Amino acid sequence: LAGMAYISSSAQFDGEFNLGVIIGPDYRGKGIGTRVINEMLCVAFDNLKAQRVQALVMDNPGALPALNRFLSL
C-alpha cells in the first residue's frame, strides 16, 4: 500500500470539499502524490461539481512540498 486519499464534503458550505492525501515514506518523491492530487481534483470538480476544494496540512514540515503542489494546480 503506497498511501491513502480521500474527498469529504465540508459541513460549512455546499459545493465545498476537503481533500486529503497520505503517501508512505517509501513512496514519497516519486510523483505519486502529485498524480493522486490531480485525479482527486478532477473527481471533485468534474464528478462532484465542487465549487471549492481545500486541503488541511498537518503540522509536518515534510508536507510543505505537497501543499505547494496543491496550491500550484
Side-chain angles (χ1 to χ4, degrees):
L1 182 63
M4 177 185 106
Y6 70 87
I7 299 175
S8 64
S9 61
S10 169
Q12 292 181 334
F13 303 104
D14 287 338
E16 180 178 271
F17 292 84
N18 302 309
L19 169 67
V21 178
I22 301 168
I23 303 295
D26 293 343
Y27 298 93
R28 293 177 188 158
K30 300 178 185 207
I32 294 170
T34 299
R35 290 196 311 262
V36 169
I37 289 170
N38 285 335
E39 289 298 320
M40 298 295 276
L41 288 173
C42 285
V43 168
F45 288 109
D46 296 342
N47 297 10
L48 301 175
K49 306 303 180 204
Q51 296 173 13
R52 173 187 161 126
V53 177
Q54 59 187 12
L56 174 64
V57 178
M58 301 303 194
D59 187 16
N60 173 3
L64 218 49
L67 176 61
N68 287 332
R69 282 188 209 98
F70 178 83
L71 294 173
S72 71
L73 296 174

